């Protein structure tokens, strides 16, 4: 007998505006195909904090406690959700204790059970490989940037949401909520949260 559960979804898109549409479409198509009824979208670069992802997990835990049914969160690829291998392992184990499951579609089409020895081994191995590939990419990128700087060709990343910091703070001062600010300025909600957090840290320093 198949266990009754709610199906949610999570998609993360790059802060690179040129890549956002294609990345979002690829993820949302799969999430809708599997019947995800509650899809969370986040704009964040690899390795950065993901407040929407963390908030989604808390909401899922509350929902599972209220209904008594597990919440199954569908994610297209492991690196869309987790910053690194440590984050992945801790999050999956902690969430499982609160009836929040993860279906990582680059690994399997069924919810991951971290208490199952075979599944746990598979998950750990793939997470380690993913971390290795991520580290190798970072190394190659660093070498490329260093060479470009040496050749006088590196101009740095073009400013995106950060260029709208003053506008974000102005709207926040007028009691606009983060999602409203994001809509007004055509930037991601995660970018708004980062700008506000940085501003708060600067003020309290």
């Amino acid at each position: 007998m198949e266990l009754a559960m709610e199906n949610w979804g999570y998609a993360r898109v790059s802060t690179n505006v040129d890549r956002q549409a294609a990345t979002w479409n690829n993820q949302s198509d799969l999430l809708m195909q599997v019947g995800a009824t509650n899809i969370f979208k986040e704009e964040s670069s690899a390795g950065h904090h993901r407040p929407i992802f963390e908030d989604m997990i808390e909401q899922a835990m509350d929902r599972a406690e209220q209904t008594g049914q597990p919440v199954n969160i569908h994610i297209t690829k492991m690196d869309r959700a987790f910053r690194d291998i440590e984050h992945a392992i801790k999050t999956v184990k902690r969430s499982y204790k609160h009836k929040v499951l993860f279906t990582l579609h680059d690994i399997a089409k069924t919810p991951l059970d971290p208490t199952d020895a075979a599944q746990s081994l598979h998950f750990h191995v793939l997470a380690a490989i993913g971390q290795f590939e991520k580290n190798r990419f970072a190394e190659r990128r660093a070498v490329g940037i260093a060479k470009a700087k040496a050749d006088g060709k590196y101009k740095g990343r073009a400013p995106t949401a950060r260029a709208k910091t003053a506008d974000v703070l102005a709207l926040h001062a007028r009691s606009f909520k983060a999602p409203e600010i994001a809509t007004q300025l055509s930037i991601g909600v995660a970018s708004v949260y980062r700008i506000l957090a940085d501003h708060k840290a600067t003020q309290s320093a």
Side-chain angles (χ1 to χ4, degrees):
M1 181 178 178
E2 188 174 343
L3 181 65
M5 62 180 70
E6 289 190 22
N7 288 295
W8 291 14
Y10 173 80
R12 179 178 65 83
V13 297
S14 169
T15 53
N16 185 316
V17 177
D18 295 333
R19 300 176 185 171
Q20 284 182 359
T23 306
W24 165 244
N25 290 336
N26 290 339
Q27 294 179 75
S28 62
D29 286 348
L30 185 146
L31 296 177
M32 287 188 286
Q33 286 174 15
V34 299
T37 56
N38 195 7
I39 298 177
F40 293 76
K41 178 183 178 182
E42 182 150 42
E43 177 191 323
S44 176
S45 297
H48 288 189
H49 180 57
R50 295 163 190 178
I52 293 177
F53 177 70
E54 301 298 340
D55 183 60
M56 173 192 65
I57 294 175
E58 296 300 322
Q59 290 186 43
M61 289 180 180
D62 290 342
R63 180 64 178 171
E65 183 178 0
Q66 291 169 3
T67 64
Q69 293 183 343
V71 174
N72 180 25
I73 299 175
H74 293 266
I75 301 169
T76 58
K77 293 178 63 179
M78 188 187 304
D79 63 0
R80 290 291 95 192
F82 306 113
R83 297 190 304 274
D84 50 45
I85 185 171
E86 182 180 4
H87 181 226
I89 293 170
K90 284 185 176 180
T91 301
V92 170
K93 287 184 176 180
R94 171 175 171 264
S95 301
Y96 187 82
K97 294 178 181 178
H98 296 274
K99 295 185 178 180
V100 175
L101 314 177
F102 289 95
T103 296
L104 306 172
H105 286 266
D106 57 338
I107 296 179
K109 306 305 179 187
T110 55
L112 175 66
D113 180 358
T115 65
D116 180 273
Q119 288 192 45
S120 181
L121 174 62
H122 189 204
F123 173 63
H124 279 68
V125 169
L126 291 179
I129 292 173
Q131 184 68 47
F132 172 75
E133 292 177 344
K134 180 180 177 181
N135 292 344
R136 286 294 300 274
F137 174 79
E139 289 174 358
R140 290 194 298 270
R141 183 173 183 273
V143 170
I145 290 175
K147 185 177 185 304
K149 285 182 176 179
D151 295 340
K153 298 178 181 179
Y154 184 70
K155 298 180 180 180
R157 184 176 176 180
T160 52
R162 292 291 181 184
K164 300 182 179 181
T165 295
D167 295 327
V168 170
L169 297 178
L171 290 173
H172 181 66
R174 292 166 54 192
S175 300
F176 278 75
K177 303 297 184 183
E180 297 171 332
I181 296 173
T183 300
Q184 288 263 6
L185 301 178
S186 299
I187 59 177
V189 176
S191 296
V192 175
Y193 283 124
R194 282 197 297 272
I195 290 171
L196 295 177
D198 289 348
H199 178 68
K200 183 178 180 180
T202 301
Q203 294 296 102
S204 60

